[in-house]
Amino acid sequence: MQPTTPLVLCVLLSQVLLLTSAEDLDCTPGFQQKVFHIDQPAEFIEDQAILNLTFSDCKGNDKLHYEVSSPYFKVNNDGSLVALRNITAVGKTLFVHARTPHAEDMAELMIVGGKDIQGSLQVVDSDRPEGSKFRLTGKGVDQEPKGIFRINENTGSVSVTRNLDRETIATYQLFVETIDVNGRTLEGPVPLEVIVIDQNDNRPIFREGPYIGHVMEGSPTGTTVMRMTAFDADDPATDNALLRYNIRQQTPDKPSPNMFYIDPEKGDIVTVVSPALLDRETLENPKYELIIEAQDMAGLDVGLTGTATATIMIDDKNDHSPKFTKKEFQATVEEGAVGVIVNLTVEDKDDPTTGAWRAAYTIINGNPGQSFEIHTNPQTNEGMLSVVKPLDYEISAFHTLLIKVENEDPLVPDVSYGPSSTATVHITVLDVNESPVFYPDPMMVTKQENISVGSVLLTVNATDPDSLQRQTIRYSVYKDPAGWLNINPINGTVDTTAVLDRESPFVHNSVYTALFLAIDSGNPPATGTGTLLITLEDVNDNAPFIYPTVAEVCDDAKNLSVVILGATDKDLHPNTDPFKFEIHKQTVPDKVWKISKINNTHALVSLLQNLNKANYHLPIMVTDSGKPPMTNITDLRVQVCSCKNSKVDCNAAGAPHFSATTVLLLSLFSLARL
């Protein structure tokens, strides 16, 4: 078994940092000189002082610690910068970071003539067999991303072929082995971990915007408004990602340029002014915009920065009660009118977009009849006082209302509604000429139809609501569809000018409707309308009539039934059925025709024997049950037709081509509908 030979690994990588500067003040913590320039030597010699640095924290430099951006240099306790070994290339810039519990600072060493280096490392095997070679494998070599590292197979020098990005890949796990000329492994593989040292190449970024915060007006000093945090892609274990926050700008800068403070480490924004200054109603603008800056390197000047805007809204609270613009309001309204009569105006200093400003009005006195209502105009916040029930001048010419106003939202505990939150409204009712009013309306009367012309139906009564004006009233007919009525213009007596007919088309359900006018003597005159409903009682003034009046029957019919007759009457019961059906004064032998009662409204006409083809006229007499009864005689025309081979021939009879059976069926259908 071959003995394992240890490999000595030396890593040379570069890190880019940024410049820092500060004013030189007496006992200002930090480096006395922050920027140095030296020429690139042929070689930096191990332990040979390159320059001396002077740092003070003004507290005695207790626990002073230095860090150098290159791992091949260090700073001794006396401030001298030395190389840890002989080295030729270190890049263009070195940074030295000094830190104590009380202060920290950064110094920059600019190397004139220095060149950027990609980085290299040397793999050494002192006992490597002659003729053997080095081979490098792993991620970054023969695995994706390929070709980043390569090794000199003879010397073991590992080099970087392109720039490395720690934020993409922070470490690479490589493997080194020695092989013979045939590619067989002699030693290894030995792991080689390459750690990419972070450079401060990423600015802080605010990723969660927009940033909008709210704080209630009058909030105590130190109230937290919101938190703002930024992200830095650099190594969180280094100062490259150690962020500090500050407020760069505040707009507007009134009443104080420093209304807010941000915790430099947490990013919490808090109020720093007194509650009295945080008064939304006295602020120039209740919206503040802060430019927030995040800086890495723990806030040192050398750190990279990123900014974002924080918008802070000073929210309203209901610390102002609404107040009427005046103590008393006046309004006038005509009697009988409805609608808005006056708008009550109020003032409120709170935010118009909130319930702390929106007003709610209440009538607390003077509205026993609920004739008034008040609603809030959503655009102007005014109280719209309306009349919802018509007012009567003759009852009351004046009204006085007491109205209070409150906010939709409750007031804060130390604020209350005062006398200015109530107002009085004086309302004057104007007298107008009101129309006369019929009483009752509608007016109803019941009379028999066919009463004599000139009969008095009733005397109408209309009164004038304007009792204080002493006006006279005249009457006239407005609508009388049948032209049956007349009215005395002075006393309102209504009589008939024609016979009242219950069966008239102008009568509906036995009720006749007419309209009358009552006109006062005002200027201009006012007119009222009244309705008269006349219920007409039926009298037996209409004789019944039969249907149908034509029938057919075959000359050889075996069924000698001719037709079923029905009767109807325009009058009402008891002046209608039961009807009495008779054949009136037959001119043919009695045994030819016969009529038989079916029910109160129908009868059957039949033959006692077949008749020859011809037209026959049969007088039918029908009588109703009124007292006295009324009778009507109607000719029933019967057509006797020739019916051969299912063909009906009534030509010779001069009649339509309907069979007796068809006529009988139609009559039965009519009977069934009754």
Side-chain angles (χ1 to χ4, degrees):
M1 182 175 66
Q2 293 183 340
T4 301
T5 304
L7 301 178
V8 180
L9 306 179
C10 301
V11 178
L12 177 62
L13 297 171
S14 66
Q15 179 182 23
V16 178
L17 300 173
L18 297 177
L19 172 65
T20 184
S21 62
E23 297 181 356
D24 233 347
L25 302 175
D26 290 340
C27 201
T28 299
F31 286 104
Q32 291 186 0
Q33 181 178 346
K34 297 182 183 294
V35 182
F36 300 85
H37 296 81
I38 64 171
D39 294 327
Q40 169 72 46
E43 186 176 33
F44 290 99
I45 307 302
E46 182 179 356
D47 289 333
Q48 179 177 320
I50 301 171
L51 56 81
N52 288 319
L53 301 163
T54 303
F55 174 87
S56 174
D57 66 355
C58 301
K59 299 287 185 178
N61 284 354
D62 183 35
K63 297 181 180 180
L64 176 60
H65 175 70
Y66 292 99
E67 294 177 352
V68 184
S69 60
S70 171
Y72 303 108
F73 294 88
K74 73 173 183 176
V75 178
N76 294 322
N77 291 334
D78 60 0
S80 59
L81 176 67
V82 299
L84 296 177
R85 66 178 180 84
N86 295 344
I87 187 170
T88 56
V90 298
K92 294 182 179 180
T93 308
L94 290 177
F95 291 93
V96 178
H97 183 205
R99 183 198 302 268
T100 73
H102 305 289
E104 57 181 323
D105 201 0
M106 187 79 70
E108 180 182 17
L109 175 59
M110 303 181 67
I111 302 174
V112 180
K115 297 181 179 180
D116 286 330
I117 59 173
Q118 296 292 335
S120 65
L121 56 87
Q122 185 78 27
V123 179
V124 180
D125 185 353
S126 57
D127 297 327
R128 181 166 59 89
E130 188 174 350
S132 63
K133 298 179 180 181
F134 291 100
R135 180 165 64 186
L136 185 66
T137 60
K139 182 179 179 180
V141 183
D142 57 350
Q143 301 175 21
E144 293 295 342
K146 296 180 180 180
I148 294 178
F149 301 97
R150 65 187 176 188
I151 190 169
N152 187 309
E153 61 183 12
N154 295 317
T155 65
S157 176
V158 178
S159 60
V160 181
T161 63
R162 56 180 181 266
N163 291 333
L164 302 179
D165 185 2
R166 188 204 67 85
E167 286 72 45
T168 303
I169 301 177
T171 63
Y172 294 87
Q173 191 68 41
L174 307 180
F175 296 91
V176 181
E177 58 186 343
T178 58
I179 59 174
D180 61 17
V181 293
N182 296 319
R184 291 177 297 186
T185 300
L186 299 176
E187 299 180 35
V190 175
L192 171 62
E193 183 179 16
V194 178
I195 300 175
V196 182
I197 300 175
D198 185 39
Q199 298 180 1
N200 191 20
D201 57 351
N202 289 279
R203 293 182 178 274
I205 300 174
F206 290 91
R207 301 190 298 185
E208 301 174 357
Y211 296 92
I212 301 176
H214 294 263
V215 62
M216 188 68 69
E217 65 171 326
S219 295
T221 303
T223 299
T224 299
V225 180
M226 60 191 299
R227 171 173 288 187
M228 292 187 64
T229 56
F231 169 77
D232 195 312
D234 290 319
D235 187 354
T238 68
D239 287 354
N240 296 338
L242 184 59
L243 305 182
R244 293 292 182 266
Y245 301 93
N246 70 88
I247 300 175
R248 293 293 303 272
Q249 182 180 336
Q250 171 191 300
T251 304
D253 59 358
K254 300 293 190 323
S256 168
N258 300 304
M259 299 285 289
F260 305 95
Y261 165 79
I262 188 168
D263 187 303
E265 295 184 3
K266 297 180 181 179
D268 289 339
I269 300 176
V270 300
T271 62
V272 293
V273 295
S274 67
L277 288 181
L278 208 62
D279 185 358
R280 196 198 66 85
E281 287 75 33
T282 61
L283 294 176
E284 177 182 324
N285 190 336
K287 180 175 75 173
Y288 285 87
E289 290 188 348
L290 308 180
I291 304 300
I292 306 298
E293 179 185 74
Q295 188 171 29
D296 58 21
M297 298 301 295
L300 296 176
D301 291 343
V302 72
L304 302 178
T305 61
T307 61
T309 299
T311 300
I312 299 177
M313 305 299 299
I314 310 301
D315 291 338
D316 186 39
K317 63 181 180 181
N318 198 8
D319 55 350
H320 294 85
S321 62
K323 298 179 180 179
F324 283 102
T325 56
K326 51 187 178 180
K327 194 63 180 174
E328 295 184 348
F329 294 84
Q330 305 291 331
T332 57
V333 59
E334 291 184 348
E335 63 172 330
V338 294
V340 177
I341 58 173
V342 66
N343 290 311
L344 310 183
T345 53
V346 295
E347 294 177 344
D348 195 317
K349 296 181 180 180
D350 291 313
D351 185 356
T353 64
T354 67
W357 178 81
R358 291 190 291 270
Y361 298 87
T362 306
I363 302 173
I364 58 178
N365 195 16
N367 191 28
Q370 305 301 308
S371 299
F372 302 92
E373 288 183 359
I374 188 166
H375 301 281
T376 304
N377 185 317
Q379 281 73 43
T380 64
N381 214 31
E382 295 175 347
M384 301 182 296
L385 181 62
S386 302
V387 176
V388 294
K389 293 182 180 179
L391 304 177
D392 191 338
Y393 172 84
E394 284 71 30
I395 294 177
S396 177
F398 299 97
H399 297 267
T400 300
L401 305 180
L402 184 62
I403 297 176
K404 71 174 180 179
V405 61
E406 297 177 335
N407 287 131
E408 290 184 1
D409 291 348
L411 296 173
V412 296
D414 56 341
V415 177
S416 60
Y417 295 103
S420 297
S421 295
T422 59
T424 301
V425 182
H426 298 287
I427 301 162
T428 301
V429 182
L430 302 178
D431 187 22
V432 297
N433 188 21
E434 298 174 85
S435 301
V437 178
F438 283 89
Y439 182 82
D441 190 25
M443 300 162 282
M444 292 181 286
V445 64
T446 300
K447 296 292 182 180
Q448 276 194 348
E449 63 174 332
N450 298 337
I451 60 174
S452 59
V453 175
S455 298
V456 174
L457 300 181
L458 81 165
T459 298
V460 301
N461 179 36
T463 58
D464 192 341
D466 301 304
S467 57
L468 303 179
Q469 297 185 19
R470 300 180 179 276
Q471 298 182 128
T472 59
I473 296 177
R474 294 181 64 84
Y475 300 95
S476 65
V477 177
Y478 179 40
K479 288 186 179 181
D480 179 16
W484 293 342
L485 305 176
N486 174 67
I487 189 169
N488 186 301
I490 305 301
N491 60 23
T493 299
V494 178
D495 56 12
T496 63
T497 59
V499 175
L500 307 183
D501 183 7
R502 193 199 64 83
E503 291 75 34
S504 167
F506 299 107
V507 176
H508 302 284
N509 296 324
S510 301
V511 176
Y512 180 71
T513 302
L515 301 180
F516 296 93
L517 299 180
I519 306 169
D520 67 18
S521 57
N523 186 20
T527 301
T529 303
T531 301
L532 172 61
L533 302 179
I534 305 174
T535 301
L536 295 176
E537 296 178 341
D538 187 44
V539 297
N540 194 18
D541 58 349
N542 290 276
F545 56 90
I546 64 168
Y547 59 90
T549 59
V550 177
E552 287 182 1
V553 64
C554 291
D555 55 0
D556 59 352
K558 294 181 179 180
N559 183 358
L560 297 180
S561 296
V562 177
V563 67
I564 294 177
L565 297 178
T568 187
D569 193 318
K570 293 182 180 180
D571 293 319
L572 299 178
H573 189 77
N575 296 321
T576 57
D577 61 89
F579 298 113
K580 180 180 179 181
F581 295 89
E582 297 176 279
I583 298 174
H584 181 67
K585 297 181 181 179
Q586 294 192 62
T587 59
V588 296
D590 292 341
K591 294 184 178 179
V592 176
W593 301 97
K594 179 183 179 182
I595 188 166
S596 305
K597 179 179 178 180
I598 297 176
N599 56 28
N600 289 343
T601 58
H602 288 77
L604 174 64
V605 176
S606 58
L607 286 170
L608 299 179
Q609 64 185 40
N610 292 110
L611 296 178
N612 294 327
K613 180 179 178 182
N615 287 336
Y616 298 89
H617 293 274
L618 184 64
I620 303 297
M621 183 173 65
V622 59
T623 305
D624 63 24
S625 297
K627 294 182 179 180
M630 295 196 71
T631 299
N632 180 34
I633 299 174
T634 304
D635 275 350
L636 173 65
R637 189 175 67 165
V638 180
Q639 298 173 331
V640 179
C641 306
S642 175
C643 304
K644 304 295 184 182
N645 299 323
S646 301
K647 293 182 180 180
V648 178
D649 181 12
C650 297
N651 289 336
H657 291 213
F658 294 108
S659 67
T661 303
T662 302
V663 174
L664 183 61
L665 290 174
L666 290 173
S667 299
L668 288 171
F669 176 74
S670 175
L671 177 61
R673 294 185 63 185
L674 296 175

